[in-house]
Amino acid sequence: MTGSPASGGHYGEDLFEPEHPQEAERIDAAALVYDPITTGRLRALGAGPGSRCLEVGAGTGTVLRWLLEEAGAAEVVALDRDTGGLGTLAGPRVRVVTADLRDESLDLGLFDLVHARFVLMHLPERRRLVSRLARWLKPGGWLVLGDAVEVPDRLDTSSAYRRTMDAMWQALRSTIGTDTSDVPAYPHFLREEGLRGVAAELVCPPLVAGGPLARFWSETLDRMRPALEETGRVDSAVIDEALAYLASPRLAELGPGMMTAWGQRP
């Protein structure tokens, strides 16, 4: 994003508080869908035994756990503003750092892999943070960035689903500053940092009624009701119609996707 929201809000404070009883379940529903994409890419880039990894925005620790148990990383540093969900993962190969990525005093060392998923889209000064993450790479280390990209149906601008999703993106931006508009530029950012082997992919997982991705979006939209209505785009009846559609066998949408970009320090 290019600036802070007018409210000066933050993810986890103004929206999606970690102590909410359904927050871990909401995050894990998304992880069920996106983790196989993420871990497949990390494995293809060589994440494996002996590597030192930084997991930015570790959340409930699903990717961190994969790095430890499946990839066999020597050490994983988990960085997040809220690390309450990582207590069960403590161990000699895990270092949990409770801090803000924007804290200039952070000195975490150098890594073979730096991974951030659904993090930068919620933070201001994203381009500067990409530079910072790139500086934490060892020679030969990989920086992997994943964030959301919306691929809306331009022929559908008035359905309850489309109106509610559009209201969601507007509410996220005005409340906590989320902005996905420059996510497609990530490969250019990585190239500008002098990384090589730069590439990217966009995956839009199937949005199926009753599936984990539909559950994630339903919970997200339901939790955001007041903020959605404040946009003036939707009212409670429209939101209810969108939620019913997400649970219906009539559901037929290309949901928001995840773009992953990567590059290697020479």
Side-chain angles (χ1 to χ4, degrees):
M1 78 192 62
T2 57
S4 299
S7 65
H10 296 286
Y11 188 103
E13 294 179 4
D14 296 77
L15 283 174
F16 311 125
E17 301 85 350
E19 63 272 12
H20 190 283
Q22 273 78 54
E23 181 59 9
E25 181 180 345
R26 187 183 74 92
I27 293 175
D28 285 345
L32 283 172
V33 176
Y34 293 111
D35 277 6
I37 302 168
T38 296
T39 58
R41 176 50 51 195
L42 298 183
R43 187 183 294 281
L45 294 175
S51 57
R52 185 170 191 260
C53 307
L54 173 63
E55 178 66 9
V56 181
T60 59
T62 57
V63 174
L64 186 159
R65 188 178 294 109
W66 179 87
L67 287 167
L68 291 171
E69 299 175 359
E70 300 294 328
E75 181 188 14
V76 181
V77 176
L79 173 66
D80 209 321
R81 291 176 63 246
D82 181 90
T83 55
L86 302 176
T88 60
L89 295 172
R93 294 158 58 210
V94 179
R95 178 187 172 197
V96 176
V97 178
T98 305
D100 192 314
L101 175 61
R102 296 169 292 178
D103 182 354
E104 295 292 342
S105 68
L106 276 177
D107 183 9
L108 303 175
L110 298 178
F111 299 89
D112 301 291
L113 169 69
V114 175
H115 173 244
R117 186 179 75 183
F118 301 139
V119 174
L120 297 184
M121 59 188 274
H122 298 300
L123 297 176
E125 302 178 20
R126 179 183 304 124
R127 181 65 187 86
R128 180 179 64 82
L129 293 175
V130 172
S131 296
R132 183 169 208 200
L133 294 175
R135 288 197 298 269
W136 287 342
L137 291 174
K138 295 179 180 179
W142 288 94
L143 174 56
V144 182
L145 306 175
D147 265 327
V149 174
E150 176 73 285
V151 189
D153 178 1
R154 296 302 181 188
L155 299 180
D156 173 23
T157 60
S158 60
S159 70
Y161 169 82
R162 185 70 266 149
R163 290 169 62 192
T164 303
M165 292 298 286
D166 288 345
M168 179 199 71
W169 293 114
Q170 180 178 328
L172 286 173
R173 181 162 188 164
S174 63
T175 304
I176 59 177
T178 301
D179 187 353
T180 63
S181 61
D182 60 358
V183 172
Y186 283 7
H188 296 279
F189 295 169
L190 299 181
R191 187 178 60 192
E192 290 166 1
E193 294 303 321
L195 304 189
R196 66 186 183 188
V198 172
E201 63 183 352
L202 173 62
V203 179
C204 296
L207 187 58
V208 180
L213 194 57
R215 294 199 306 272
F216 169 79
W217 287 118
S218 294
E219 177 65 20
T220 298
L221 297 173
D222 197 36
R223 294 263 300 280
M224 289 183 64
R225 275 180 181 270
L228 295 179
E229 294 186 38
E230 285 178 10
T231 67
R233 289 177 175 263
V234 295
D235 57 20
S236 182
V238 172
I239 298 170
D240 286 341
E241 184 179 346
L243 293 176
Y245 179 55
L246 281 168
S248 165
R250 295 177 51 253
L251 178 63
E253 301 291 341
L254 181 65
M258 177 177 70
M259 196 194 83
T260 306
W262 59 89
Q264 185 180 36
R265 171 67 65 202

